[in-house]
Amino acid sequence: DAGVIQSPRHEVTEMGQEVTLRCKPISGHDYLFWYRQTMMRGLELLIYFNNNVPIDDSGMPEDRFSAKMPNASFSTLKIQPSEPRDSAVYFCASSLTPTGGTEAFFGQGTRLTVV
Amino acid sequence: KQEVTQIPAALSVPEGENLVLNCSFTDSAIYNLQWFRQDPGKGLTSLLLIQSSQREQTSGRLNASLDKSSGRSTLYIAASQPGDSATYLCAVISAGGGNKLTFGTGTQLKVEL
């Protein structure tokens, strides 16, 4: 397996534009997580899915952020409209039964810059 | 609310030295603890996972221990090499916290020639 795949790797956009980040989890993993990493706040969970169903979106900062998982092999994180304070590295991760002692595997991340 | 702290924030050592990175967490009710490595501009690479029932895990030159009752974990790196230079992060999954990883602030390690 190629691991968790994210695209794009880098995104530069103007304030007010819509941004869509994409993630392909490891095949067979039934949990998918979206994290955001900033210098000020470190790594924070935004939302996670189990079997394509959103379970906890309490970390989504505001209504401008939305996430979907239409099938087991694809998820998107959308920001509309984007703002400069959304600039960060966004990571997608996948795993099996997190509480059962299985590792979480992370993608390479998408570095988002909103100017 | 679970809080994870890592000390020191940064560490610089000469090559060949053995070193210990520390991780502490405020709520001892955890399912497991995972250590990650992050290279600049890269994603997170899983190093070791310790389940709550375990005391330690080893992989090559790395050894991670867990003392759940005191809320502490250590990552021991033997015979450090320049290639070990990276940021090391610990993260826990808390009982009652869903399935999310709560991350520490990281220790930035530099191993010098």
Side-chain angles (χ1 to χ4, degrees):
Chain A
D1 200 310
V4 177
I5 300 173
Q6 292 185 246
S7 65
R9 291 293 311 279
H10 302 274
E11 177 81 35
V12 179
T13 191
E14 291 185 346
M15 181 174 62
Q17 296 297 307
E18 177 179 294
V19 176
T20 299
L21 311 181
R22 297 173 176 80
C23 175
K24 181 182 186 323
I26 291 173
S27 178
H29 282 188
D30 51 2
Y31 283 83
L32 183 140
F33 305 82
W34 283 100
Y35 285 86
R36 178 171 68 175
Q37 186 177 38
T38 61
M39 289 292 291
M40 291 295 294
R41 302 174 66 90
L43 272 155
E44 300 175 293
L45 178 70
L46 298 177
I47 184 171
Y48 79 88
F49 297 82
N50 177 218
N51 291 322
N52 313 337
V53 176
I55 302 300
D56 183 353
D57 66 354
S58 59
M60 297 285 262
E62 43 196 282
D63 292 345
R64 298 184 297 105
F65 286 68
S66 63
K68 294 182 179 180
M69 192 166 186
N71 57 62
S73 59
F74 184 67
S75 177
T76 60
L77 177 67
K78 185 176 293 186
I79 308 172
Q80 166 63 21
S82 57
E83 296 182 2
R85 59 192 168 122
D86 301 330
S87 297
V89 182
Y90 291 80
F91 287 104
C92 176
S94 71
S95 74
L96 297 165
T97 58
T99 58
T102 59
E103 296 171 270
F105 293 88
F106 281 70
Q108 291 295 295
T110 296
R111 182 174 295 275
L112 173 65
T113 303
V114 183
V115 298
Chain B
K1 178 186 174 185
Q2 179 74 271
E3 292 183 3
V4 182
T5 304
Q6 291 185 246
I7 295 174
L11 181 64
S12 183
V13 300
E15 182 180 13
E17 192 162 298
N18 302 325
L19 57 99
V20 175
L21 307 181
N22 298 293
C23 172
S24 62
F25 43 97
T26 55
D27 184 353
S28 62
I30 64 169
Y31 285 111
N32 56 60
L33 182 145
Q34 197 166 351
W35 281 95
F36 294 89
R37 167 187 173 137
Q38 185 175 27
D39 293 283
K42 303 289 187 181
L44 280 69
T45 300
S46 178
L47 297 174
L48 290 164
L49 180 143
I50 310 177
Q51 297 188 50
S52 61
S53 59
Q54 297 175 321
R55 298 284 293 182
E56 66 179 314
Q57 283 286 343
T58 298
S59 176
R61 295 183 293 108
L62 305 179
N63 176 277
S65 67
L66 175 64
D67 184 342
K68 198 175 74 164
S69 61
S70 67
R72 294 181 181 181
S73 176
T74 61
L75 179 66
Y76 176 82
I77 303 177
S80 58
Q81 303 171 357
D84 295 329
S85 299
T87 296
Y88 290 80
L89 295 149
C90 70
V92 299
I93 294 185
S94 306
N99 291 286
K100 69 177 184 181
L101 285 162
T102 300
F103 280 87
T105 46
T107 294
Q108 190 172 9
L109 172 66
K110 183 175 181 180
V111 181
E112 299 175 317
L113 289 168

